[in-house]
Amino acid sequence: MTSATAPTTPTGQTPDTYTFPSHRLSRTLSNPNKTPLVLVACGSFSPITHMHLRMFEMAVDHVRQNMSEEYEVVGGYMSPVSDRYNKAGLASATHRIRMCELACDQTSDWIMVDPWEAIQPEYQPTAVVLDHIATEVNDVLGGIAPYEGAPRSEYKRAHISLLSGSDLLQTMSQPGVWSLPDLDHILSGYGIFVVERSGSAVHNTLAPLKEWGNNLGKDWIENIHVIRQLIANDISSTKIRQFLRQGMSVHYLLPACVIEYLREHRLYRDVEEGREVRSNSMPPTCRGEKGKAKEEGERAAS
C-alpha cells in the first residue's frame, strides 16, 4: 500500500447527515482465497502523530509476514473519540476529525477517518464502534468481492480487528477498567493487533487476560497479535501537547499539514495554572456488569 493524495472526506457531519467513508476501501480481493481484513484504531488523536499512522503500516507488514495465507488488508479506519470522553487536553471533535483527515489524505491511500463515533452525543465504547464498522462494511456495503465481477452471493464478510498501542492492552488487563462482556466481545469476536511501545512489556499483560478468558471458556490470547517495533518510536500526543505548551518545535513528529492546522487554530496552547484545560464533558461509561464500568484509560493510546 502506497502513499497518494485523494479528495478529503466530508467534514461537519451530524448523526442525521452521516455517511460512512468507503472511498479507500478495497472492494475486491487480490486473492479470492483470503479473508478481507479491516483495521480500526480508536483513540483521542489529540493531535494525530506519525506514530498513529505508522501503526497501520506496521500492522500491514505483520499480516503480510505472519498471516498472509489467511488475511488480506483491504482498509483501515481511524475513529476519533466523542467530545463526551472526559480527558485532559482533548481538542474538539471537529478539530480532531479534520486533523486526522488531513493526515490520511496527504500520507496514505488506504487509511480513512470515520467520524461516526466523534459526532455521537454520548460516549461510545470501543465494542460498539467495532460493531458499527462491521455493520457498515459487511451489511450496508455488502462485504468484499472475492474477484472482479463476482456475484453478490459470493461476496465475503470482512473481519474487523482493533489496532492499538500496548498501553491500551495494559488497561484491558487491569481489573475494573473494562467490563468483561466488552472484553469478550472485542477479543473473541474481533481480536486486536497490538504495537509494542518503548518501556511496555506486553507479556506482563497477557496473563490476566488469559485467565479471565479461560474462566469464560474462551481463548482470548489467540486473537491478540503482538507487533514488534523494529524501529523504536514513542511519539505520543501527550508529549506533543507538552511541546506545544512550551513553545517547542514539533516538526517531523507530525505530518506537516497537521502542524499547519495546529498553528492556524492555535490548538493546545491554553493552560490553566500550569495544567491543560480539562473538558467539561461527562465521564465515559461502557456496557457490562451492573450496566456500567469504568473505561478511564481505554483510549490511552492516543
Side-chain angles (χ1 to χ4, degrees), residues 20-295:
F20 180 69
S22 60
H23 56 297
R24 289 176 173 166
L25 184 68
S26 296
R27 302 304 307 278
T28 304
L29 289 170
S30 61
N31 185 332
N33 297 318
K34 295 184 180 181
T35 298
L37 175 64
V38 174
L39 301 169
V40 181
C42 297
S44 300
F45 303 107
S46 190
I48 183 175
T49 73
H50 279 310
M51 182 57 190
H52 292 127
L53 296 161
R54 182 65 186 152
M55 285 198 311
F56 282 89
E57 296 297 327
M58 286 188 284
V60 170
D61 284 341
H62 182 85
V63 171
R64 286 173 175 167
Q65 294 173 0
N66 302 284
M67 310 167 75
S68 61
E69 293 185 0
E70 182 177 4
Y71 291 114
E72 179 180 322
V73 177
V74 295
Y77 287 93
M78 290 184 177
S79 180
V81 73
S82 163
D83 286 338
R84 297 289 282 178
Y85 185 63
N86 190 18
K87 183 176 181 179
L90 190 68
S92 72
T94 299
H95 286 312
R96 290 181 289 110
I97 291 171
R98 188 57 188 148
M99 286 188 286
C100 288
E101 288 176 343
L102 287 170
C104 291
D105 289 345
Q106 297 193 21
T107 66
S108 176
D109 65 354
W110 66 284
I111 308 173
M112 294 159 282
V113 182
D114 183 7
W116 181 83
E117 178 186 3
I119 63 178
Q120 297 305 305
E122 300 295 337
Y123 173 80
Q124 301 297 317
T126 299
V128 174
V129 176
L130 295 174
D131 285 346
H132 156 73
I133 292 181
T135 297
E136 291 287 347
V137 173
N138 292 321
D139 298 329
V140 178
L141 294 178
I144 307 298
Y147 55 89
E148 193 70 36
R152 282 284 181 173
S153 60
E154 294 185 17
Y155 275 37
K156 291 190 172 185
R157 294 183 67 83
H159 181 73
I160 313 299
S161 281
L162 182 63
L163 172 64
S164 77
S166 57
D167 42 3
L168 185 142
L169 189 67
Q170 287 179 330
T171 69
M172 287 183 167
S173 67
Q174 298 170 6
V177 178
W178 292 66
S179 72
L180 285 178
D182 272 22
L183 281 178
D184 184 48
H185 192 71
I186 294 170
L187 297 180
S188 292
Y190 296 109
I192 179 172
F193 286 82
V194 182
V195 177
E196 271 197 329
R197 285 193 171 181
S198 301
S200 299
V202 172
H203 65 275
N204 292 334
T205 68
L206 297 180
L209 291 174
K210 182 175 182 178
E211 179 183 353
W212 298 342
N214 288 342
N215 290 340
L216 296 174
K218 306 290 184 63
D219 186 0
W220 290 350
I221 302 303
E222 70 174 0
N223 295 326
I224 299 175
H225 312 288
V226 179
I227 303 171
R228 309 294 179 184
Q229 278 208 69
L230 301 181
I231 299 177
N233 185 341
D234 64 348
I235 299 173
S236 70
S237 297
T238 299
K239 291 180 180 178
I240 295 299
R241 295 195 299 270
Q242 292 172 348
F243 279 22
L244 291 170
R245 292 200 311 272
Q246 295 170 16
M248 298 173 65
S249 172
V250 293
H251 280 285
Y252 313 115
L253 300 177
L254 318 175
C257 56
V258 175
I259 294 176
E260 182 58 33
Y261 189 93
L262 292 171
R263 181 183 296 114
E264 178 183 352
H265 296 276
R266 298 189 58 79
L267 297 178
Y268 309 114
R269 297 180 182 276
D270 295 331
V271 295
E272 185 177 276
E273 297 181 355
R275 297 182 179 181
E276 293 173 301
V277 176
R278 190 172 182 84
S279 167
N280 290 323
S281 59
M282 296 294 290
T285 61
C286 74
R287 304 171 303 163
E289 298 161 347
K290 299 181 180 179
K292 290 184 179 181
K294 295 180 180 178
E295 258 186 289

